[in-house]
Structures are given as structure tokens and as C-alpha cells.
Amino acid sequence: MSITLLSSPLQGFTDFRFRNAFNHYFGGIDTFYAPYIRFNNKLVIKNSYQRDLKLEHNTELEVIPQIMTNSADEFLFVVDYIQELGYKELNWNLGCPYPMVTKRGMGSGLICEPEKINHILNRVHKETDILVSMKMRMGYENPEEILDVFPILDTYPLKNIAIHALIGKQLYKGGVNLEAFQKCIESTKHKLYYNGDITSVAKLKEMQTRFPSIDHFMIGRGLIADPFLPSMIKNNTTTYPENRWEIFREFHDTIYHQYDEALSGPTPIKMKMQGFWEYFSQSFSNPQKTFKKIKKANNPRAYQQAVAEILKNG
Ligand SMILES: Cc1cc2nc3c(=O)[nH]c(=O)nc-3n(C[C@H](O)[C@H](O)[C@H](O)COP(=O)(O)O)c2cc1C
């Protein structure tokens, strides 16, 4: 069965610079989700979100914008904004687990409020012709919460529901709950995408075997940790290209230069690249030692030296 791979958004990581460089050097991803747009009281779309969604920054790829909100007005505002840019679909984030978000009834904190979800979807479908897709966890407190939402979701022509098979209060701990995901498959008419802990070709195969009806898989952290993973899944191989580290180096240098240009001063670029290396380091034989080397590099020259040393040893 042919499968579709989607890049699951990571705020602070998978912006247009990352997406374009990723696509150029590694490929394997069919569609990229942009990290969520979120408002801070005012109905103004932050410059960083605007830059991220600009069409000229996304010419090579299929990108789907995302919103995180519990307000129909905010949703409608973003629909207008992205439709003007030419986008046809908006993804709704009901997955974010962080208390700052969930305590305000957003992200996975909204899953336990089916009526509110209904109200928003009702207005969006009455007042616009945008295609809506969802990205959800299975609940905040327990994985049954989503089962009360499906009857409402089933009344709307959603494109799909991507499910990160965890609950909000787990944050990122404890691993995915595959029995609960199976229950989701049996409880909605919508097309489901699987998301959660795909970190290797073997893991993807395990999920395919376990859920034969699923043919769309979203990869988040695993794609940053090992950017070759999507193309290896697509090519059904566990063998890396011979020039693996050369390709990685070129990719690294591309994003480094772009972020260095966009951010001002040595500290922001250090923090940005350090964030990436928390994931990249997992591809190296000693992740902790690798990450430590990056953390210790206190100026751009030391950083470049650390990267060269890490890549020499592979
Ligand atoms: C730092 C970070 C930022 C994230 N930002 C977003 C986001 O903007 N939108 C979203 O839907 N999910 C976001 N997620 C969740 C991921 O997209 C993904 O659903 C989750 O990590 C599970 O997939 P994985 O196990 O393949 O990483 C974020 C996760 C992390 C760790």
C-alpha cells in the first residue's frame, strides 16, 4: 500500500526555512503543516506567522496552515487571511498539551468541550468555504474524551483528523496508547492520520501492520532527529546514502546561514541551533556527548569547530 507522509509541525523548528531546506536535501514528505497561528488578545497576525505563510516562501512545497484557538471569530479571521494568500485548507490544533494553553481551554484542553467545538465548526462551515482538518490528541484527562467529540465531527465535511495517540496531561511522557487509537478508528467515519513516536522505518512498519486501514502518517520530532527517515520510509530501505554526512552538512549549513541572517547576534543563533541539536544529536552514536559539544561552543567559531568534529566522527 502506498503511504502519504506528512510533516507534523513543531513551533520554533519547522518554519519555512527549515521546510524548504529539508525538502531540498532530504525529501520524502508529501505535505508540510505550518506551526500554529495563535492570537494574544488582539486580532493581529504576528509578523513571524505572516513570513512563514507568505506564498513566495512556500513555492516548492504543499503547506497547510494551522490555527490554535477556541474562538470562532479568531478562526474566521484566519480563514480570511489564508484564503487571501491562496490557501484552501486550515488545520485546527486540538493537541497542544501545555498548561498555559490547556488552562485557557485551547489545544487538548478543548477536547472535553464538544459543544464549543460544534459552535466553532458550525460558524466556520456556514460562513466560509474553507476545507477544515483537525489535529488532536485523544483527550486531556483521558482518551475517551475524543469519543464524545466524534459524533459532532462526523456531521461536518472535515478533510481528515490527525490523531497524536496520547492525552494532554501526559505531555510527551509515557508513550502512545495504541488501543485507544484503535478505538478512534472504530468510532468515526472520518479519515484518520496516525501521529506519534515514529522514529524509525521499523516503527512505521509496526504501525502499518497494526493499523492496516491507515495510510497517512505524520512525523514530528523523528524527522528532525533523523531527516533521512521520510525518504528511507518511502524507499523502503534502512540504508543511508553513502554521503549521508555530506548531505547533512549542506543542510545544516543552509539553515545555519539563513537563521544567522534572520536573527540578530550570537546568542539567538546559538539557542536556535542548540534547539535543533537536541534532536539532531539523537542520530549520532553518543547523543549526550554530541549535544554537550554543541552546548559548550560559546561563539560562532567554536560552534563551527564543534559541528566539524561531530560530523567527522559521524
Ligand atoms: C517543540 C514542539 C513544538 C510543537 N509545535 C506544534 C505545533 O505548532 N502544532 C502542532 O499541531 N503540533 C505541535 N507539536 C506536536 C508535534 O507536531 C507532534 O504532534 C508531536 O510531537 C507527536 O509527533 P512525534 O512523536 O512524531 O514528534 C509540537 C511538538 C513539539 C515537541
Side-chain angles (χ1 to χ4, degrees):
M1 179 170 62
S2 86
I3 59 166
T4 300
L5 292 181
L6 307 107
S7 151
S8 200
L10 266 75
Q11 191 73 250
F13 294 89
T14 62
D15 69 354
F16 70 96
R17 297 180 185 90
F18 177 89
R19 294 192 298 265
N20 285 310
F22 177 90
N23 193 52
H24 179 77
Y25 288 104
F26 306 107
I29 288 291
D30 296 284
T31 303
F32 291 78
Y33 288 87
Y36 58 75
I37 294 175
R38 189 185 159 190
F39 293 95
N40 246 336
N41 300 323
K42 275 189 284 183
L43 271 183
V44 174
I45 297 187
K46 274 201 320 200
N47 285 339
S48 60
Y49 300 144
Q50 294 200 25
R51 266 195 302 277
D52 194 41
L53 293 177
K54 252 186 171 178
L55 282 204
E56 62 248 48
H57 290 159
N58 294 287
T59 51
E60 309 285 319
L61 322 166
E62 187 179 319
V63 174
I64 300 172
Q66 187 186 62
I67 182 169
M68 185 161 71
T69 186
N70 59 7
S71 145
D73 289 334
E74 288 183 359
F75 205 123
L76 293 168
F77 186 83
V78 171
V79 169
D80 263 356
Y81 179 72
I82 61 155
Q83 281 190 324
E84 237 164 75
L85 290 173
Y87 292 100
K88 304 269 185 284
E89 175 181 348
L90 183 58
N91 183 263
W92 190 11
N93 178 323
L94 266 66
C96 184
Y98 294 112
M100 264 171 1
V101 165
T102 56
K103 278 192 182 139
R104 294 193 198 158
M106 284 190 283
S108 61
L110 186 56
I111 302 171
C112 62
E113 298 201 60
E115 269 320 309
K116 211 165 191 175
I117 295 170
N118 191 26
H119 168 75
I120 293 170
L121 287 176
N122 189 31
R123 277 198 62 195
V124 170
H125 284 91
K126 264 203 182 123
E127 296 174 38
T128 79
D129 60 356
I130 194 80
L131 189 56
V132 178
S133 59
M134 315 278 296
K135 179 165 179 287
M136 311 176 66
R137 290 201 181 200
M138 299 183 295
Y140 182 81
E141 284 292 335
N142 67 71
E144 279 81 50
E145 287 171 29
I146 197 169
L147 302 179
D148 292 330
V149 187
F150 282 139
I152 285 165
L153 299 183
D154 279 355
T155 66
Y156 294 98
L158 304 176
K159 183 177 166 216
N160 67 272
I161 306 170
I163 297 184
H164 180 196
L166 285 187
I167 54 171
K169 78 172 178 192
Q170 281 181 268
L171 295 173
Y172 284 88
K173 295 183 208 108
V176 285
N177 181 341
L178 299 181
E179 277 107 74
F181 182 74
Q182 178 64 39
K183 195 91 197 263
C184 292
I185 296 178
E186 291 157 13
S187 308
T188 176
K189 65 167 207 191
H190 284 301
K191 183 165 186 69
L192 297 188
Y193 296 2
Y194 175 85
N195 173 228
D197 295 349
I198 296 175
T199 50
S200 64
V201 177
K203 200 79 201 169
L204 187 283
K205 285 194 170 157
E206 195 186 312
M207 293 304 137
Q208 261 189 308
T209 308
R210 169 102 192 222
F211 304 115
S213 66
I214 301 292
D215 59 4
H216 284 60
F217 295 89
M218 288 177 87
I219 309 180
R221 293 162 298 171
L223 171 160
I224 305 180
D226 184 356
F228 290 96
L229 178 60
S231 63
M232 284 165 62
I233 291 172
K234 284 287 177 70
N235 295 327
N236 194 21
T237 180
T238 50
T239 310
Y240 288 91
E242 248 173 58
N243 55 347
R244 172 182 181 180
W245 297 117
E246 241 172 76
I247 299 173
F248 182 84
R249 174 86 215 206
E250 286 179 27
F251 163 73
H252 167 276
D253 291 355
T254 301
I255 59 169
Y256 179 86
H257 290 306
Q258 290 188 13
Y259 287 121
D260 195 31
E261 231 173 74
L263 301 166
S264 49
T267 306
I269 182 70
K270 176 179 161 55
M271 296 319 290
K272 188 80 182 173
M273 295 315 292
Q274 200 169 296
F276 279 113
W277 277 99
E278 259 190 276
Y279 294 105
F280 293 159
S281 60
Q282 291 165 31
S283 280
F284 293 84
S285 51
N286 189 337
Q288 272 171 342
K289 207 171 135 197
T290 303
F291 186 52
K292 228 171 160 180
K293 265 194 186 145
I294 294 291
K295 264 177 57 177
K296 263 179 37 195
N298 265 333
N299 59 61
R301 246 187 76 183
Y303 173 81
Q304 293 298 352
Q305 266 168 9
V307 172
E309 218 174 285
I310 289 165
L311 294 181
K312 198 173 74 193
N313 302 325

